[in-house]
């Protein structure tokens, strides 16, 4: 009679987690990764980001610039197994949304009766644009980056109006906003007065002359 012992190693299993989406500038906590019967773990990336500790089951991943520009990165979790079993790997993909950056442009002064083209406004990575006003004027098209704004009588009476550009983006990023102010100067109105006839050697007081909204 002779005996031998057959040791059977339990199979290694790893799960890198479900695919996910984050916004540019955010880190990602690999909270739903799991492993079983491993003797060691190692995370690797297809991009240029970093793990706070690639040997942890649930590390934090910080995307690199190439990850952000590509729009996604694939993370691989490898579970090392005792011999004679072999290591096992699983992957998950992080989609990285770009954060919108908008600028409404510089504050400006215009004269009443004029419209203003928002020519120096800019928008980057925005899925859509919407302009709004603190007053009651109108845009020729509020969904354009560089629309034309026509002040209302209320805007002119108030003397200023604030215009806001909003750049909308896909979740989980949040909309971006910026504002600019249009100061509206009133048109000067002057009258030299009625014609007059005087006698030689006399002076004439221009009593009927008037000026409204004139700075000098």
């Amino acid at each position: 009679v002779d005996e031998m012992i057959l040791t059977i190693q339990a199979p290694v299993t790893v799960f890198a987690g479900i695919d996910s989406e984050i916004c540019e500038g955010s880190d990602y906590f690999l909270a739903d990764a799991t492993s079983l019967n491993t003797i060691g773990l190692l995370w690797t990336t297809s991009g240029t980001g970093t793990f706070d500790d690639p040997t942890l089951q649930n590390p934090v991943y910080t995307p690199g610039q190439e990850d952000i520009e590509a729009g996604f990165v694939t993370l691989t979790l490898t579970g090392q197994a005792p011999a004679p079993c072999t290591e096992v790997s699983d992957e998950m993909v992080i989609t990285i949304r770009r954060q919108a950056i908008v600028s409404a442009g510089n504050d400006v002064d215009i004269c009443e009766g004029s419209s203003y083209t928002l020519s120096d406004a800019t928008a980057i990575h925005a899925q859509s644009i919407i302009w709004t006003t603190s007053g009651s004027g109108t845009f020729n098209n509020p969904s354009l980056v560089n629309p034309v704004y026509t002040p209302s009588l209320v805007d002119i009476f108030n003397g200023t109006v604030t215009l806001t550009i909003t750049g909308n983006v896909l979740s989980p990023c949040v909309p971006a906003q910026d504002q600019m102010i249009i100061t509206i100067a009133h048109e000067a109105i002057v009258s030299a007065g009625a014609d007059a006839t005087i006698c030689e050697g006399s002076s004439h007081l221009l009593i009927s002359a008037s000026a409204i909204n004139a700075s000098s």
Side-chain angles (χ1 to χ4, degrees), residues 30 41-47 49 51 54 61 73-78 89-92:
L30 292 147
L41 294 170
L42 182 64
W43 282 95
T44 55
T45 172
S46 66
F51 299 92
Y61 183 73
V73 63
T74 300
L75 305 184
T76 302
L77 175 60
T78 299
S89 296
D90 188 45
E91 296 179 345
M92 62 88 65

Side-chain angles (χ1 to χ4, degrees), residues 108-113 133-137 149 151-163 181-186 213:
V108 297
D109 297 334
I110 65 172
C111 188
E112 68 173 300
T133 172
S134 65
S136 55
Y149 183 74
S152 66
L153 291 177
V154 174
D155 297 349
I156 295 169
F157 177 80
N158 290 333
T160 63
V161 63
T162 300
L163 307 184
I181 297 174
I182 298 179
T183 299
I184 306 168
H186 293 287
N213 303 324

